[in-house]
Amino acid sequence: MTPYQAPRWLRGGHAQTIWPATMLKQAAPDYRRELWATPDGGQIAVDRIDGQAGQPLVVLFHGLEGSSHSHYAIALMRAVQARGWHGVVPHFRGCGGVENTLPRAYHAGDAAEIGWICTRLAAVHPQLFAAGVSLGGNMLLRHMGEMRDNAIPLAAAAISAPLDLAAASTRLDHGVGRLLYTRMFMNTLKPKSLAQLQRHPGLFDRRAVQKARTFGEFDNLVTAPLHGYRNVQDYWRRASSKPLLKQITRPTLVLNAVNDPFLPPHALPGPADVSTAVQLEQPREGGHVGFVSGPFPGTLAWLPQRLLAFFDSYQRP
């Protein structure tokens, strides 16, 4: 498939970086929702598209505070549906309109969450391909690296994953990233964490969380201690997926735009950082899960086509 190239009207500067891809969002497919009990007594929402018998399954793990109605999820699931394949968008704890009743939530290093979801799905759909976007991409890559030959997906793709969490979070906590993106995420992360605190008093310092303005502060107060990390530096180091890219043995596409505002170019992996099973794709433009193509105002068709073309190469007869 043709590598991504931004359309002429969108090239240069920061246009693609800040392009509101959500403005191009299509109507969501007619999902069939299931509620799954988690192994530790919680509950998650799983939105499904039923394809034709014997066709592959594409699982999409959404990004931070995303859902099956995020622009990239709709675009991919509509493309999956058009092929007659099966599609699934599992939601992480507290996402998709289902409250999280447990002290823990979801985090960038949670490969175990990816593992049990994929295991359950693969019991019915042995031809399983997985894609992960942003935070979900980092989680998926950790599963692929930790499990090696025992990873569940036949092939995987990570899109705009924050492979180096320290570099990504530091970038988002300064300048335009802090003004645009960090503030947006804090508007949902903080209320959710305070709701957890109401159910489970003593988890963390309420006033400190209310005052948090950066990922560094929030992850140090909430994410790290709730999920077994000593502090934010320990979390960012141990949850990053970049160190595990050399351990991946199943075919994996790692797609990052060089102008992604969530990850500085110096943190992108090179050939020496990955195994032979990993295919790096780093177009100059594309933004963060943008990859807008076509005449103005553009479409979101390129990314689903790229992912499905990659998965096509690894279908079993």
Side-chain angles (χ1 to χ4, degrees):
M1 181 179 170
T2 304
Y4 178 75
Q5 186 174 38
R8 187 178 298 276
W9 59 270
L10 195 53
R11 292 180 200 166
H14 296 286
Q16 179 77 331
T17 299
I18 62 175
W19 179 256
T22 54
M23 302 276 296
L24 301 173
K25 186 165 66 173
Q26 299 173 296
D30 188 14
Y31 291 119
R32 175 170 61 85
R33 171 156 288 195
E34 297 176 350
L35 295 178
W36 288 9
T38 65
D40 54 358
Q43 191 177 62
I44 63 168
V46 178
D47 286 349
R48 309 189 67 147
I49 292 170
D50 296 315
Q52 299 169 10
Q55 292 301 306
L57 169 70
V58 175
V59 186
L60 175 67
F61 294 101
H62 63 76
L64 182 65
E65 295 299 274
S67 75
S68 62
H69 284 72
S70 296
H71 68 277
Y72 51 81
I74 292 174
L76 179 59
M77 289 297 113
R78 285 175 65 94
V80 167
Q81 187 176 52
R83 281 182 167 224
W85 288 15
H86 305 275
V88 174
V89 184
H91 291 84
F92 297 130
R93 316 294 181 104
C95 296
V98 175
E99 291 189 358
N100 177 25
T101 59
L102 301 180
R104 63 151 294 173
Y106 67 101
H107 63 94
D110 200 356
E113 192 83 338
I114 301 295
W116 80 263
I117 291 172
C118 285
T119 298
R120 176 167 173 171
L121 290 168
V124 179
H125 301 281
Q127 283 209 77
L128 184 152
F129 301 112
V133 168
S134 196
L135 194 80
N138 192 85
M139 296 166 70
L140 176 59
L141 290 174
R142 286 208 61 91
H143 168 76
M144 302 302 290
E146 290 179 15
M147 299 306 293
R148 304 189 189 196
D149 289 343
N150 293 319
I152 306 300
L154 297 178
I159 306 96
S160 302
L163 309 165
D164 180 333
L165 292 172
S169 299
T170 300
R171 185 168 196 177
L172 285 173
D173 283 346
H174 294 86
V176 175
R178 180 173 176 177
L179 290 174
L180 292 180
Y181 302 110
T182 302
R183 183 166 59 180
M184 175 185 70
F185 286 126
M186 290 299 153
N187 286 340
T188 58
L189 287 171
K190 289 166 67 173
K192 283 184 179 180
S193 65
L194 294 175
Q196 281 181 286
L197 185 62
Q198 191 168 0
R199 297 187 189 95
H200 306 279
L203 282 180
F204 38 77
D205 186 326
R206 173 182 292 273
R207 289 186 178 181
V209 170
Q210 289 173 328
K211 293 179 180 178
R213 295 291 181 270
T214 67
F215 275 108
E217 293 169 348
F218 183 84
D219 285 344
N220 198 52
L221 290 165
V222 180
T223 313
L226 286 192
H227 302 107
Y229 299 97
R230 293 192 304 275
N231 52 37
V232 64
Q233 287 80 18
D234 184 48
Y235 167 53
W236 287 348
R237 179 181 60 82
R238 291 170 53 201
S240 292
S241 59
K242 187 176 179 180
L244 293 185
L245 297 180
K246 284 186 176 180
Q247 298 178 192
I248 293 175
T249 60
R250 291 193 181 274
T252 300
L253 173 68
V254 179
L255 174 62
N256 294 87
V258 174
N259 76 334
D260 187 338
F262 285 37
L263 189 67
H266 70 78
L268 292 173
D273 298 313
V274 304
S275 73
T276 56
V278 174
Q279 179 178 332
L280 297 176
E281 199 163 315
Q282 296 170 355
R284 188 175 70 176
E285 298 183 277
H288 188 73
V289 206
F291 303 104
V292 176
S293 61
F296 182 84
T299 75
L300 301 176
W302 182 86
L303 182 58
Q305 291 171 4
R306 178 69 191 96
L307 298 179
L308 294 179
F310 179 74
F311 294 149
D312 275 339
S313 301
Y314 301 102
Q315 280 197 72
R316 289 174 177 167

